[in-house]
Amino acid sequence: MTSEPTTALTAETGLAALATENRRFEPPADLAANANVKADVYDAASTDRLAFWEEQARRLQWEKPWTTALDWEPPFAKWFVGGELNVAVNCVDRHVAAGNGDRVAIHWEGEPEGDRRSITYTELQADVCRAANALTELGVEAGDRVMIYLPMIPEAVVAMLACARIGAPHSVVFGGFSAQALTDRITDADARLVITSDGGYRRGAAAALKPAVDEAADRCPSVQKVLVVRRTGQDVAWNDERDVWWHDVVDRQPDVHEARSFDSEQPLFLLYTSGTTGKPKGILHTSGGYLTQTSWSHNAVFDLKPETDVYWCTADIGWVTGHSYVVYGPLANGATQVMYEGTPDAGGKDRWWSIVERYGVSLLYTAPTAIRTFMKWGDELPAAHDLSTLRVLGSVGEPINPEAWIWYRRVIGGDRCPIVDTWWQTETGAMMIAPLPGVTSTKPGSAMGPLPGISVDVVNGEGTSVGEVGGGYLTLDEPWPAMLRGIWNDEERYRETYWSKFPGRYFAGDGAKWDDDHVLWLLGRVDDVMNVSGHRISTTEVESALVSHPSVAEAAVVGAADPTTGQAIVAFVTPKGSVADDVSSGDAFAQELRNHVAKEIGPIAKPRQILITPELPKTRSGKIMRRLLRDVAEHRELGDVTTLADPTVVNAINDKMGSSSSAED
Ligand code: WTA
């Protein structure tokens, strides 16, 4: 484990920006006056944290009230013990029952121009009921795991809610993961049904999804059925025993479904995420606490007014942001939202801004990578559209550098919209650190401080709190409602990964610093997890993929700072003796290895750059010195090389790096 922050924003750059800027942005007066939550919420929450969360839980519809707010046997928490609810009923039916059935739940826009559908809450209710009936007909029962491998189409939301409705935990796998990655996840989750589509539209073309599912299902005996949505109409291979079309099975079902209630701790989903070692882990989330915190935070941090706002979160449902802030949080709040299938440049680099204009988007939630990409594309594209409906702008997934923060506020937000930078993780389930748009005066590049009801402590290497000012490791020292309940099938790994470095505290894996004003700055991961375009990828996972290639002897992977994607994957590879001579030029071999990684994990894990080298820099005890490789990858002056067994190795790599090129895709 290294102890240095690995992302572009460090305390130094962040605080240096402040030193020159040294300014805060106050909440707009009208927003502050009409905000859903006001400053007193912090006091209320700190006076009685559990009472605060109970009050937020009462925003939901419970079929049976809880008896105890929290049962905490570290590191295992149960929230709203004894309570019963149905998550899908909370996200859909109760809005219809309250007379809001005609409100649009989803304005969906496919990537091909003109491909649009608006779905009301009444229609969504019928869709979810039909899908729930279909899942039951296909033999899925409460507790069974269902895999979802779909593009950003309404059926993805319907499938998730249908699973929730019948108490079958879903596990969504991002469509950019390979057949191998899907196989690993299906095997670990022991899933009996996979929901997929023939494909989806990305970058102006129909991409296939089903072949990866076919390959995975052939290798996973647990899979009994594959339910296939027709999205693109492309030809697909068909297995009559296993495959069924969504339109054959779902469309003919009754559009009513009697939902039963489930225990507050009923598993809602597993979501696989990368850790520092080994295979991705299945993060387990449950129902009552998760829905309480996702819906409360969505309401508070975006100041959602469900009657008038149009909300758009650009995340894919394959990531936690898509779970908590496309599906569960916004729908539990009865929001109207936009969902878009494709890439930001499909049909023109102003596609997003034409969507904002068309639907009158007022609340936008996206990632710094996207913001930096738009900065590169120029101010003219957003300027050509009417973005005056925007009210609050959110950021998530990686540290946002002050320049991007200011650009987002000025160019997208017309200098009037507050920026809410939200820190959280797959494991935390919901936002943990963020400003409140009607309360907090913000500093550009900072997520400011913990939300009400959340307790954060920055500690030094010994686990001692640094107090009000100072830097160190970010920990959470009190349980929170949406916290992960464990790692699927691996209690030991759960304890070890999150609770052992600082006993009694949850260690997030991030560095953080309180500045002189007791404002919190997130400094990026301090472990071997990379953050590429807001996607978590572990260095060890990419290294394992590389060494699984028959011609690779050894590989070391580092995350190097990248002006657009935050970090980029750079790999150093030593070929096996027999092939080393043939690959001296390296380009074709590097390309082959990049494709190999795409096959093992997925295109998102392809290294930007692979350097073929006869040796890796090692200490005398044989440890690869990643710190030096990061210096090389970031074109920095090499740090201390005195502990190297052979200092000439790293110089040779450094020379080679200077003359090598990186891949663009
Ligand atoms: C990073 C995404 C700085 C962090 C919701 C964390 C952030 C990891 C921020 C979790 C932010 C997320 N500022 N860093 N606002 N948001 N991160 O599980 O390193 O995909 O540990 O969850 O992203 O990534 P994950």
Side-chain angles (χ1 to χ4, degrees), residues 320 397-399 421-426 510 522 525 531 536:
V320 75
E398 45 178 326
D421 175 21
T422 63
W423 179 92
W424 57 292
Q425 310 178 295
T426 305
D510 284 54
L522 279 320
R525 302 288 303 197
N531 191 325
R536 267 167 78 164

Side-chain angles (χ1 to χ4, degrees), residues 380-433:
E380 307 76 37
L381 296 169
H385 293 273
D386 179 4
L387 307 182
S388 63
T389 49
L390 288 170
R391 275 193 331 114
V392 179
L393 302 176
S395 175
V396 61
E398 45 178 326
I400 179 164
N401 46 312
E403 299 71 30
W405 193 104
I406 298 225
W407 185 90
Y408 194 26
R409 184 182 154 98
R410 181 175 58 80
V411 178
I412 305 305
D415 248 337
R416 62 174 193 280
C417 305
I419 306 289
V420 286
D421 175 21
T422 63
W423 179 92
W424 57 292
Q425 310 178 295
T426 305
E427 292 87 342
T428 69
M431 296 171 190
M432 302 294 282
I433 302 172

Side-chain angles (χ1 to χ4, degrees), residues 59 90-107 117-125 298-299 304-311 329-337:
R59 297 178 68 248
N90 271 279
C91 290
V92 186
D93 303 51
R94 70 173 169 141
H95 307 312
V96 178
N100 296 318
D102 291 340
R103 184 184 297 161
V104 171
I106 299 173
H107 288 295
R117 261 166 79 189
S118 290
I119 301 164
T120 65
Y121 273 96
T122 299
E123 289 165 340
L124 185 61
Q125 184 180 35
H298 180 255
N299 173 68
L304 174 82
K305 307 284 194 270
E307 302 80 18
T308 48
D309 273 320
V310 177
Y311 163 80
L331 294 177
N333 288 333
T336 294
Q337 70 177 314

